[in-house]
Every structure is written in structure tokens, then in C-alpha cells.
Amino acid sequence: DVLPSPEGPVPAVSITEIRQYLRTQGIPFHDGYSCLHTPSLFTGGQEDQLPPAGAPFTLFIDKTTGSFLCTATLAEGTWQDFQANVELQHRGIHPARSEELEGDAQRAQEDARCMWERALPLWELLDEEETNRTKAMFGISLVTDATLKRFGVRYLRTAKSLVFPWFSPRDATLKGLKLLRVEKKGGAISYVEETLPRFDSYHNLFGLPLIGRRDTELVLTGWELDALALHQATGVASLALPRGASCLPPNLLPYLEQFKRITLWLGEDLRSWEAAKLFARKLNVKRCSLVRPSNLQPRPLEALNQGLNLTKILRAALPASHKSIVSFRQLRQEVFGELVNTEQVAGVKWARFPDLNRLLKGHRRGELTVFTGPTGSGKTTFISEYALDLCTQGVCTLWGSFEINNIRLAKIMLTQFAAQRLEDQLELYDEWADRFENLPLYFMTFHGQQNIKTVIDTMQHAVYMYDITHVVVDNLQFMMGHEHLSMDR
């Protein structure tokens, strides 16, 4: 994914300007938690007028970016697109609904449909023994058939994978799938996920079709199996985020607007806890509570398997917003958490650089590391290895390469990722490129000397859109530009 280029960045729009524009155009709206709600321009009505005041509010405008989504027609776009559609209305032209799917998306949907038809409900496998063996493999022996049926979970025998469906919130057609399989390495078990369409266009809130209009409380989990366990044990409305604790795409926010209270229970490690605090800011902290990970409060599926009381854990969730002054009593659990999880507090370890772990302990948010060395000593080569290492562990990374262009940088990183010379084996290119594309890696499109304000605005935009937690700037002198020579460099 490439962020807007400096030649034509998306002009920033303030919430005040959005409100002012809606008022001058006579479009009714009300303030939500992360979005403004208005009637849709895309759901019919008279050709030459804006939506009437009595129309249902199905169009949501993101308060931070101005992007909109209509949940009734799935039309979406930027703030400029919204204004263009209002202009069309004034000229008596009815705005187009969301276009037909493009080639790749259509193919992904076809593939998903074929796979879905081949997959079977778990309880329809050949015999009870195979069903029990499969459930045990995924750690869901205690999840009932009724729960699996309610959420529409199936099993694809050929791929030994659980299949989670993504149904369109508009007309319940199948939009995509997530496959989950188990890999055993030595004694350790890891879960491998694959999605159709690809990760960056897979925006499923698993469980959304089961939410009623009157539901006002929700638990957000980081994993489909956690949503199953939670719903079964507590009966509360629960959804799973498409990419777990690594990011909360802003275009999912409209679907979360109806809830007065959201509890985030994302996982059992410190990274999930950090992510929960970050997501709460996007969702509006006043309505969010967080489940703090600990031995007595593991992830929901684990809690179900250990026979813990999930309702009790939910009741003990901490409010995300706190006052400006706190006493030690309020910090007591946080301090204990840091003492218990000293390894996790040190940050995300590098898998391939044990010496770096000895020096830096790990990658932590809010820290600045400066690498220095003479020209040609290998700073860029090393830093791209260092960033790739974190990226493959799910750390969302933004690259600002001012010195070498993005194509050359991506070529270096892809070669490092594949750990082989792809120019000698071009037939392997697509396979490695597909895997590389699934990494949470983004590039800024700046090159050469830059105005520091433009660069920082782009970084802030990336943090909101993609939940970036690691930014690489190569190199620092290009960010200084020449226009601020008197500035404190």
C-alpha cells in the first residue's frame, strides 16, 4: 500500500468544516462516537434533492479523515467524493451506487464461494471420532455444535482448516473467507491464517450478521475462536477483528457506532493490551472498557477451556478513560503486570538478531533509535532486515525512504524476505511476492529533501489508518530540508 504522494496529498479536513458543510447543504446529521451519521445519498429518493430529514441515518462520515461509508449500499469514498456526490444531487443526477467488483475481487469471491461449498459443518464429518479429533486439534472441544452452527463455521477437510465466512452486511451474500489451520513445530503449536480476498481488502467483522439492531453492548475480540467462546459462555454480542490486535481499519468504525459500551478483550499478551488502548482511542475512550491480560484473565477461548467465569472477567474490565490524576491504588495492577511480564515489557524481540536483543531488549513504542555509520557501511541494508524481522511478527511498519526509491527498497526487502536471489529463479517471484504483500508494511512516497511538516502529517495519517507502531526514516538529514535552517535541528 502506498500512502498519498506529496504531489497530491488528500487535503486534511477538520470536523468543524465537515459540520459546517453539512449544515449549509441542509443535510441532517448527528454526532456519533467516531463518525457523524447522516441519511444516505445512495438509497434512492427524489432525483433532484438531498435525502429527506426523516430518512434513516445509514451514511457514516469518519470524524478524523472525512471518509464516508454507506452501510445500506456499501458505497464508500473520500470527503471529496462525498462533496462531489452532493453536487451531483443538486444537478439532478442520482449518485452511482458502489461499482461492480473489479477482476481480482471478483475472482477472490468466486474462489471463496467454491471453497465454501466444499467445506462441511464439523458435525457432518464421517464419524464422531473425526469431529472430536478435529475439535481437539483447534482447542475447541468445549465449543458446542450449536455455537459453530450459529456462527456458520465449517471445516475444509482437504486443507485441514476451519473456515470462517464473511457475509455482506447488506444482502448476506458471501464476500470472502478466512481459513485457519494448525502447524506443529517441535512441541509448539501455531495457527496459520489465510484470507480471501487478501488481508488488506479483508474487512470482515466476524459475527456481524448476528448483531441485532437493539444490541447496545459489545465485546471485541482479536480472534474468531475467542468470539465463539465468549458468545457461548456469556451470551453477549461478540465480534472478531479481521487482523487481530495488529490493526483496526477505520472503515469498520461505522458498524460499531450503535454500541454504547464496547469491551476490548483482544488476547493474553502485553501487545494485545497496548493495541486495546490504541483502539479505544479510535472508538472513543468514554465508551470503552479493557480486559487486562493476566494468568487469571487469559484470552476468552483459553478461559472457557480452563473453566473460568467469563462473565465475571467481563464485569472486572477497566474503563479505558481515566482522570488526569491517579493514585498508586489505580496503578497497582499495571505495575504488577510490568513486573510479571518483564520479557514482554522489553518489547518485541528480533527473531534473527540475538545480539540486538541483548543491546536494545526489543522494539518498544515511543522510543527513538538512531543508527549511524559512514556512507556505504550498510545502514539501509541492515535496517531493512531489522524492520522485516519485526514486520513478520505483525509489527505494522511505515518506511520513509528519502534516499533510495521505493521500487529499489522493495526489491532489497523482498530478496531479504525470500533469502534467495529471485533474479535467478523468476518462476518463484509470484509466490514470494504474494507472501510479502501480506506483511503489514507501508511506504511513504517522498523522495529527496522534504518539508518536515508534510512528512509528520503523513505519518499521523498512517498511524490512524493502519495502526502503525514502527516508523523507519532513512535518512534523517533529508527530513530537515533547507527551509528551517534556524530551527533546532
Side-chain angles (χ1 to χ4, degrees):
D1 278 61
V2 174
L3 295 165
S5 79
E7 290 80 53
V10 177
V13 59
S14 73
I15 184 64
T16 314
E17 288 172 277
I18 296 175
R19 288 195 187 107
Q20 218 165 353
Y21 179 80
L22 293 174
R23 283 194 192 102
T24 56
Q25 297 296 333
I27 300 173
F29 68 90
H30 64 243
D31 248 313
Y33 296 100
S34 341
C35 305
L36 295 177
H37 307 195
T38 80
S40 177
L41 307 168
F42 302 90
T43 49
Q46 276 76 35
E47 294 295 302
D48 60 343
Q49 64 176 53
L50 293 164
F57 283 33
T58 59
L59 190 135
F60 298 85
I61 300 170
D62 188 304
K63 290 184 186 181
T64 306
T65 62
S67 299
F68 73 88
L69 168 76
C70 165
T71 53
T73 63
L74 303 185
E76 57 182 317
T78 63
W79 174 241
Q80 289 68 37
D81 296 335
F82 180 82
Q83 290 173 303
N85 280 315
V86 171
E87 289 306 312
L88 285 177
Q89 285 277 27
H90 283 313
R91 285 191 265 147
I93 306 164
H94 193 61
R97 298 176 182 227
S98 49
E99 304 87 64
E100 283 302 300
L101 293 177
E102 290 164 29
D104 283 354
Q106 190 133 26
R107 267 196 301 281
Q109 217 169 66
E110 281 305 311
D111 292 348
R113 199 171 296 126
C114 294
M115 253 182 222
W116 181 242
E117 281 161 9
R118 291 207 322 267
L120 291 169
L122 265 175
W123 54 95
E124 282 180 19
L125 296 182
L126 284 177
D127 54 34
E128 206 173 318
E129 193 185 324
E130 189 187 2
T131 302
N132 293 340
R133 206 171 48 242
T134 305
K135 280 181 150 188
M137 179 167 72
F138 287 97
I140 54 171
S141 299
L142 296 180
V143 175
T144 64
D145 290 346
T147 303
L148 293 168
K149 197 172 182 176
R150 182 171 165 77
F151 281 86
V153 181
R154 292 187 185 180
Y155 181 66
L156 190 59
R157 201 190 254 129
T158 48
K160 293 196 167 146
S161 299
L162 286 181
V163 183
F164 304 103
W166 174 17
F167 294 115
S168 162
R170 184 180 57 165
D171 52 13
T173 53
L174 188 74
K175 285 187 75 175
L177 298 175
K178 181 183 276 191
L179 280 80
L180 178 74
R181 69 175 199 278
V182 174
E183 273 188 5
K184 287 182 180 164
K185 281 182 188 163
I189 279 182
S190 65
Y191 291 95
V192 181
E193 294 182 348
E194 201 181 318
T195 65
L196 278 166
R198 308 185 68 78
F199 263 136
D200 51 356
S201 356
Y202 182 81
H203 295 309
N204 176 22
L205 277 171
F206 177 70
L208 191 62
L210 302 177
I211 301 288
R213 279 201 175 150
R214 295 193 176 157
D215 284 326
T216 56
E217 297 202 3
L218 171 75
V219 184
L220 268 185
T221 69
W223 201 33
E224 288 76 5
L225 297 182
D226 283 339
L228 299 176
L230 244 168
H231 182 78
Q232 180 177 308
T234 63
V236 299
S238 52
L239 298 175
L241 292 171
R243 296 185 75 164
S246 72
C247 81
L248 167 57
N251 53 359
L252 295 178
L253 298 176
Y255 298 108
L256 304 173
E257 282 288 295
Q258 78 180 67
F259 302 102
K260 289 192 171 72
R261 184 175 170 191
I262 295 178
T263 305
L264 291 139
W265 188 349
L266 296 183
E268 52 205 347
D269 58 0
L270 216 64
R271 275 173 76 187
S272 309
W273 172 244
E274 289 298 327
K277 292 195 277 194
L278 192 72
F279 297 170
R281 292 214 290 274
K282 261 188 195 182
L283 291 162
N284 190 327
V285 288
K286 291 193 178 78
R287 63 170 171 162
C288 292
S289 302
L290 315 175
V291 172
R292 161 174 273 297
S294 71
N295 289 343
L296 296 173
Q297 297 188 166
R299 61 178 334 131
L301 180 64
E302 195 51 39
L304 178 75
N305 290 337
Q306 287 180 24
L308 300 172
N309 184 335
L310 278 79
T311 310
K312 194 173 165 189
I313 294 175
L314 281 179
R315 285 204 189 112
L318 309 163
S321 61
H322 55 75
K323 303 289 178 282
S324 305
I325 296 172
V326 292
S327 65
F328 177 68
R329 179 189 287 181
Q330 288 155 290
L331 298 175
R332 185 175 171 147
Q333 277 308 103
E334 297 256 358
V335 174
F336 182 68
E338 297 238 333
L339 293 173
V340 172
N341 302 304
T342 44
E343 279 296 295
Q344 290 182 26
V345 171
V348 181
K349 299 269 187 288
W350 286 273
R352 293 183 284 175
F353 300 111
D355 281 0
L356 202 58
N357 290 329
R358 202 165 42 76
L359 291 166
L360 295 177
K361 302 292 184 276
H363 167 264
R364 291 175 296 283
R365 288 185 194 182
E367 287 198 357
L368 174 70
T369 306
V370 181
F371 287 87
T372 69
T375 305
S377 60
K379 296 186 296 294
T380 300
T381 311
F382 170 65
I383 288 170
S384 63
E385 278 277 13
Y386 151 114
L388 260 180
D389 190 316
L390 295 172
C391 231
T392 51
Q393 298 181 65
V395 175
C396 298
T397 302
L398 174 67
W399 256 93
S401 171
F402 301 99
E403 205 166 1
I404 62 172
N405 72 32
N406 285 331
I407 296 169
R408 207 169 130 229
L409 174 66
K411 185 184 128 188
I412 293 169
M413 294 184 88
L414 178 61
T415 306
Q416 292 173 328
F417 181 63
Q420 55 190 304
R421 281 172 57 85
L422 291 172
E423 50 266 71
D424 300 338
Q425 298 166 287
L426 292 175
E427 69 280 1
L428 296 177
Y429 176 76
D430 284 333
E431 181 195 332
W432 281 105
D434 282 350
R435 287 163 69 175
F436 190 68
E437 212 174 287
N438 278 337
L439 294 176
L441 177 63
Y442 303 88
F443 301 94
M444 285 192 269
T445 54
F446 300 115
H447 199 59
Q449 295 283 359
Q450 289 305 326
N451 173 333
I452 195 162
K453 186 183 181 316
T454 318
V455 178
I456 287 175
D457 286 349
T458 305
M459 287 178 186
Q460 283 177 330
H461 173 78
V463 168
Y464 179 76
M465 295 299 291
Y466 308 108
D467 297 297
I468 299 294
T469 52
H470 178 212
V471 180
V472 180
V473 172
D474 182 23
N475 68 37
L476 221 53
Q477 71 200 36
F478 285 102
M479 257 186 83
M480 302 316 296
H482 293 303
E483 72 271 32
H484 301 299
L485 291 179
S486 61
M487 194 172 87
D488 179 349
R489 295 165 79 86

